[in-house]
Amino acid sequence: MRNILLLSAVSAALAASSGLAPRPATIEATVLDQRGSPVEGAVVFAISGAVESPPAKTVEMTMKGMEFDPAFSSVSVGDSVSFPNQDSTHHHVYSFSKTKKFDSRLYKDGAPKVVEFDKPGLVTVGCKIHDWMKGTILVTPSALRAVTGKDGKAELRMQAGPSVKLGVYHPRLRGKPEKHDQEITLKDGKGAAAWKLPLKKESSGGKRPHKVYY
Amino acid sequence: MRFLPFRLKVLGAFLTLLTAVLVSSLVLVDRSQTRQTKTEIRRQLEVARNVFTSLLRRRDLELNRSLSLLAKDHAFKQALATENMDTIVSTLQSLKSRVMADAIWITDDEGEVKESTLEEPFEARLSDLPIVESALDEHPASAVLRLAGVPYQLTAVPVLAPDVIGVLIAGFKINDAVALEIKTITRSEVSFENDGKIFASTLSDEAHKKALESDLASISDTDPTVIRIGTRRNLVLRAPVAQGVAAYLERSWDEAIEPLEKLRRLVFFVGLVGFLLTALVGLFVAGSVTAPVAELVAATKKLSEGDLDTAVDIRQNDELGQLGKAFNDMAGGLREKERFRSVLNKAVSKEIAEELLKKGMIELGGEERRVTVLFSDIRSFTTLSENLSPQELITQLNAYFKRMGAAIQRERGVIDKYIGDAIMALWGAPVSAPDDAVRAQRAALAMFAELDRLNDTRRDASLPPLKIGVGLNAGTAVAGNLGSESRASYTVIGDAVNLASRVEGLTKHYGAGIIVTASVREESSGADFLYRSLDLVRVKGKKKPIEVFELLGENAPPPDWLGDYEAAVAAYRAGDFTGARTGFGALADRNRNDPAVALYLERLQGLPGKADASWNPAHTMTEK
Ligand SMILES: [Cu+2]
């Protein structure tokens, strides 16, 4: 993560040095699903080519009713997520994700587990006790991100160079999110990005069926 | 159509019916039994299939449970996440021995195999398997799939942390052991097919396997199919397992059908016995009907051949008995009737016939009777018939016979027969009357009256008149039925009859219409007939001369010449030829057309005036 930060700093410096100083830019993002319907709740974020350095903050992902709440959260590199336990049972938060591995040990009351995310990427959080508990944390390189509305549109405003690399994520996204990264060229401070994302069906919850092919 | 005895028909009908009943019941029993057996086998095979699928499911469940337990183990997850491969391999090995799986694999979060318990890994990419895809999608899945050509029952379980970080796959080979396990439970033979090849089976017989293999395509999933292994037959049901993989469950049809075969043989045997019994009873029953019928048929045949003495002896107290009695009655009636038939066949009038029958006056025995016989003949009939077509001849003859017959019957005469144009009629047989001779002569006179009328009509039709001669004789003759049994005819025979015929033959010679013999004249002494003496004549075949008279009429005044004529005849007979010559000469002058007078004058020519002592006035007829 530090490397990426460094890279972005370098690219920003390069942009400045080459006389292409970051300028205000607006990117219109449109996210559709595989069938062309607008996707709500997709996170569109800048990976590079943008300048943004907000202060680090801590976001809560509460454990309540033996579920993570919210089950999905997006943070910036350097941000932290705390997992307060509001249940009467113990929880044991862990992650085997390459982005961030951690293990909270069993806890109930007292200070919640707080994890700082120092690399961009996806982190899947689970509970050792409750297999079904699943939380997803999207760690974006910067705070430059926006969430699509009902119309599947989001607007990203930033100080950016001539082009910006954008990423997209949705909790129901099928496959690796990196595949959907896009390099957007800005013209007169405006750009447009569009995605057609393969989404899983909205699970109705409940038990996962066992498929038998005979 | 060919004659078929009633007995055979009855028997045939009986046996046909019985056979139909037997065959149809046999067929019905057979069909229902076969169907039942088939249903039973199908049920058993379906049970076997259910056992098989439930076995697969149970094994799947066990695998799934074991795999899920391991997949949920946090330490395992951690080992997988940290790629601690030694730990993972040992874990897989211990799981393998615990669940007795044939192989266990672990993949990464993209389905690529990381480790397996196999010594030599497959070339197949497990990540392409639908169950692995499903597991990668967080859904455990099971399938029977072929790996390197070997069908496996596979279960894939995702390792969730809580995202899919790998997939655990375990599999059982589907092999002879599986087949045997199912056989142990269901007692059905089990074979597994993969792409048309049997790869696992409880069958030990290679020929059997080959037979099954060659019939695979025809075997149904729903309806057990019969396959033949040499002479044996098995019913096979297919249980599809996966693409290209199926199980075949098999039971012996022959064994199942054996009780039916026994039943079939039993029914056949019972049927055969029934058939024979029916044939025997049928023959007996039909015989009780047909024997009397046959007797009746024979009797009827005899009857129709004219044997009226036929009778049947049917002592049965039923319709046939009644029929026999009726037959005997009929034969009796016929016999009775036949006795009179020959008489009744004579052209006697109906009234007379009935009267005769009623009074029972007819006696048909061969007996001597006093009869008067009449013969009539058409003169020069041959010349007459020469110019006629047969049709015209018959028509004219019938017109003639009709009138003559009527004249005879009016006088109660019996027309004995027609001989060509001649008529023979009788009085005195079969019944006698005191005035037989009188009536016969009256009939003869009536015939001439009828002939006059007939000739009137013939003249109108431009036909030549007919001339006839009638001869009568009275005498004793034998009356009775003559001829063969079947064609017996009542008639009279004897000299009296022959003489009557001869006398009729004289009519031409003497140019007389009616000639009667002296016996006729004597027997009609009470009546007033007018005669003239014709001659004393010795007819052919007779030594004794007879006197014949010409009948001139009845109740008529004698003509003036009759006295002279009789005197001349008497002179001739007395040998006074001169007197006779004078007498006949005078008569000839008075009546030039009298043929008798002409005949006498002719005879007298060359005779002396007086006869000598050897004079016999009897004339011998040389011509017929
Ligand atoms: Cu928990």
Side-chain angles (χ1 to χ4, degrees):
Chain A
M1 191 50 133
R2 196 164 290 151
N3 290 344
I4 294 176
L5 274 177
L6 204 69
L7 268 174
S8 49
V10 167
S11 68
L14 274 173
S17 66
S18 62
L20 297 165
R23 301 188 298 168
T26 310
I27 297 171
E28 284 286 336
T30 310
V31 181
L32 304 173
D33 67 10
Q34 57 266 53
R35 277 169 307 184
S37 307
V39 175
E40 189 188 4
V43 181
V44 179
F45 55 93
I47 296 168
S48 66
V51 176
E52 185 80 12
S53 47
K57 60 181 193 295
T58 299
V59 179
E60 280 195 348
M61 191 176 250
T62 313
M63 293 180 284
K64 187 161 79 181
M66 298 182 200
E67 296 287 355
F68 290 107
D69 185 25
F72 171 66
S73 188
S74 52
V75 298
S76 309
V77 170
D79 284 351
S80 295
V81 175
S82 81
F83 300 93
N85 185 355
Q86 291 188 5
D87 284 325
S88 52
T89 62
H90 284 73
H91 288 293
H92 183 148
V93 190
Y94 74 92
S95 165
F96 291 147
S97 301
K98 290 191 178 79
T99 305
K100 185 73 184 179
K101 294 191 197 323
F102 63 86
D103 200 312
S104 75
R105 304 245 292 278
L106 211 56
Y107 70 98
K108 196 176 109 184
D109 303 318
K113 173 75 177 176
V114 178
V115 180
E116 188 192 330
F117 295 96
D118 47 6
K119 277 196 288 184
L122 267 178
V123 179
T124 306
V125 184
C127 171
K128 219 166 153 181
I129 312 293
H130 309 104
D131 278 340
W132 64 87
M133 288 178 66
K134 181 181 172 184
T136 307
I137 297 161
L138 174 68
V139 185
T140 60
S142 70
L144 281 174
R145 56 175 183 269
V147 178
T148 56
K150 276 199 162 62
D151 55 357
K153 289 189 188 305
E155 200 181 69
L156 270 178
R157 286 170 188 281
M158 63 192 94
Q159 294 288 318
S163 72
V164 179
K165 190 177 182 185
L166 295 182
V168 70
Y169 183 73
H170 188 275
R172 285 195 284 124
L173 181 67
R174 189 188 293 277
K176 304 219 179 273
E178 292 84 31
K179 283 195 276 183
H180 306 289
D181 291 353
Q182 282 190 28
E183 192 77 37
I184 303 294
T185 308
L186 296 171
K187 199 175 178 188
D188 298 334
K190 288 205 183 298
W195 284 275
K196 255 196 165 178
L197 295 183
L199 296 191
K200 297 177 196 165
K201 274 185 204 156
E202 259 170 301
S203 72
S204 54
K207 210 173 168 244
R208 294 180 187 100
H210 179 165
K211 282 189 190 173
V212 179
Y213 292 95
Y214 52 83
Chain B
M1 214 173 74
R2 213 160 54 82
F3 177 76
L4 252 183
F6 180 68
R7 193 170 150 106
L8 281 185
K9 270 184 201 160
V10 168
L11 200 60
F14 260 136
L15 294 182
T16 307
L17 205 66
L18 183 73
T19 310
V21 167
L22 281 176
V23 167
S24 56
S25 60
L26 194 65
V27 165
L28 283 178
V29 165
D30 205 287
R31 274 179 59 179
S32 87
Q33 281 293 319
T34 306
R35 206 181 298 134
Q36 206 179 314
T37 308
K38 200 162 184 178
T39 310
E40 178 61 21
I41 293 186
R42 174 202 283 206
R43 208 181 54 75
Q44 288 167 342
L45 288 178
E46 280 168 356
V47 165
R49 179 163 64 183
N50 291 344
V51 165
F52 169 61
T53 47
S54 75
L55 184 81
L56 285 190
R57 250 186 231 124
R58 205 187 67 226
R59 295 193 347 165
D60 176 53
L61 217 63
E62 277 172 19
L63 265 189
N64 189 271
R65 194 172 296 141
S66 305
L67 290 186
S68 295
L69 275 176
L70 182 60
K72 278 177 184 163
D73 186 89
H74 195 70
F76 181 72
K77 287 181 193 176
Q78 205 154 18
L80 189 62
T82 56
E83 306 203 345
N84 188 341
M85 285 314 168
D86 290 344
T87 313
I88 289 169
V89 168
S90 64
T91 311
L92 295 187
Q93 290 291 359
S94 81
L95 178 66
K96 180 183 177 245
S97 59
R98 197 163 65 240
V99 300
M100 293 188 293
D102 288 303
I104 299 186
W105 298 262
I106 181 74
T107 76
D108 64 11
D109 60 344
E110 289 186 320
E112 297 302 332
V113 173
K114 288 177 87 142
E115 285 298 338
S116 86
T117 59
L118 292 172
E119 311 221 324
E120 280 179 51
F122 293 127
E123 288 188 13
R125 281 170 57 90
L126 292 189
S127 57
D128 293 341
L129 297 180
I131 54 165
V132 176
E133 277 177 18
S134 174
L136 287 173
D137 213 15
E138 301 185 12
H139 298 290
S142 307
V144 172
L145 294 167
R146 278 173 291 155
L147 298 177
V150 182
Y152 277 88
Q153 182 190 3
L154 293 171
T155 297
V157 170
V159 181
L160 298 171
D163 254 351
V164 178
I165 58 168
V167 176
L168 261 174
I169 308 159
F172 287 117
K173 274 182 191 166
I174 294 181
N175 51 20
D176 289 355
V178 178
L180 199 63
E181 191 174 347
I182 300 164
K183 190 191 174 181
T184 315
I185 301 168
T186 63
R187 299 178 65 200
S188 298
E189 298 291 345
V190 183
S191 303
F192 292 111
E193 171 233 346
N194 180 13
D195 285 344
K197 289 270 175 297
I198 303 291
F199 66 86
S201 178
T202 55
L203 300 172
S204 48
D205 180 7
E206 281 305 316
H208 190 153
K209 274 191 210 170
K210 279 272 178 305
L212 177 62
E213 222 161 52
S214 62
D215 280 355
L216 286 178
S218 67
I219 295 167
S220 156
D221 292 359
T222 50
D223 209 22
T225 313
V226 176
I227 64 157
R228 290 178 178 280
I229 311 103
T231 54
R232 289 175 296 136
R233 286 168 301 171
N234 278 9
L235 273 182
V236 189
L237 189 66
R238 183 175 181 269
V241 174
Q243 188 69 39
V245 182
Y248 292 86
L249 305 147
E250 215 174 321
R251 290 187 85 88
S252 170
W253 172 249
D254 295 317
E255 274 170 37
I257 209 76
E258 206 181 290
L260 177 59
E261 288 288 348
K262 276 183 189 158
L263 181 69
R264 212 180 270 165
R265 278 196 291 274
L266 184 72
V267 170
F268 182 77
F269 178 72
V270 167
L272 197 68
V273 169
F275 190 87
L276 292 175
L277 268 176
T278 306
L280 277 174
V281 172
L283 270 175
F284 177 75
V285 171
S288 77
V289 172
T290 56
V293 169
E295 194 181 340
L296 276 164
V297 167
T300 308
K301 213 169 184 180
K302 271 167 92 179
L303 195 67
S304 74
E305 279 163 1
D307 182 3
L308 296 181
D309 292 326
T310 311
V312 292
D313 184 16
I314 301 169
R315 288 173 206 170
Q316 274 177 230
N317 198 12
D318 55 14
E319 288 88 342
L320 289 165
Q322 288 176 346
L323 182 60
K325 191 179 175 302
F327 178 87
N328 287 342
D329 289 349
M330 179 188 77
L334 281 175
R335 269 198 301 279
E336 189 73 9
K337 210 168 176 191
E338 181 62 17
R339 284 179 65 220
F340 305 121
R341 185 181 63 82
S342 49
V343 178
L344 301 180
N345 276 355
K346 300 295 170 195
V348 290
S349 68
K350 253 186 195 163
E351 295 78 26
I352 297 172
E354 278 171 12
E355 195 186 339
L356 292 178
L357 283 172
K358 228 182 269 172
K359 291 182 180 169
M361 286 162 74
I362 311 172
E363 284 164 31
L364 294 169
E367 55 184 352
E368 290 212 321
R369 294 193 79 99
R370 191 74 192 170
V371 292
T372 304
V373 182
L374 177 151
F375 272 89
S376 84
D377 195 11
I378 301 175
R379 289 217 189 118
S380 42
F381 176 72
T382 352
T383 3
L384 180 76
S385 59
E386 263 171 10
N387 303 320
L388 292 176
S389 73
Q391 213 65 47
E392 286 168 328
L393 183 66
I394 294 293
T395 312
Q396 291 186 23
L397 266 183
N398 280 342
Y400 165 75
F401 284 140
K402 191 181 169 191
R403 285 176 180 275
M404 298 303 121
I408 292 163
Q409 285 183 350
R410 273 202 297 275
E411 294 301 335
R412 297 183 167 243
V414 170
I415 294 171
D416 184 80
K417 56 174 84 83
Y418 296 101
I419 310 149
D421 62 312
I423 302 169
M424 175 182 164
L426 285 177
W427 282 261
V431 278
S432 303
D435 57 349
D436 281 337
V438 175
R439 287 179 174 277
Q441 289 174 92
R442 277 182 192 148
L445 289 169
M447 283 168 75
F448 274 84
E450 285 289 340
L451 184 69
D452 282 345
R453 284 193 279 277
L454 176 66
N455 282 339
D456 284 346
T457 61
R458 286 176 66 84
R459 195 168 49 242
D460 292 344
S462 305
L463 294 168
L466 297 177
K467 283 184 180 169
I468 65 170
V470 175
L472 289 164
N473 181 41
T476 310
V478 174
N481 279 314
L482 265 184
S484 73
E485 228 171 55
S486 60
R487 288 199 55 84
S489 175
Y490 184 82
T491 191
V492 287
I493 48 168
D495 277 348
V497 180
N498 296 340
L499 188 56
S501 174
R502 297 266 184 255
V503 167
E504 185 269 318
L506 295 177
T507 54
K508 197 175 178 185
H509 180 76
Y510 292 105
I514 305 163
I515 298 181
V516 304
T517 56
S519 58
V520 175
R521 193 175 175 175
E522 280 158 20
E523 286 183 19
S524 56
S525 52
D528 183 18
F529 287 109
L530 188 64
Y531 306 94
R532 69 162 166 177
S533 298
L534 270 186
D535 209 353
L536 285 165
V537 65
R538 197 177 282 120
V539 293
K540 200 178 174 191
K542 293 266 177 191
K543 281 183 184 157
K544 202 181 158 196
I546 52 160
E547 185 170 14
V548 292
F549 301 89
E550 182 178 9
L551 175 63
L552 297 174
E554 185 183 12
N555 298 326
D560 51 359
W561 53 262
L562 189 59
D564 294 340
Y565 174 83
E566 292 291 346
V569 170
Y572 172 78
R573 289 180 186 168
D576 176 11
F577 299 142
T578 310
R581 211 174 274 126
T582 313
F584 283 122
L587 283 165
D589 288 340
R590 276 162 68 181
N591 189 359
R592 291 212 168 269
N593 290 327
D594 190 336
V597 171
L599 190 74
Y600 270 109
L601 282 175
E602 195 186 313
R603 258 190 220 168
L604 286 164
Q605 270 175 15
L607 285 179
K610 196 116 180 122
D612 54 20
S614 65
W615 168 243
N616 187 344
H619 176 72
T620 302
M621 286 301 291
T622 46
E623 50 190 304
K624 191 209 160 193

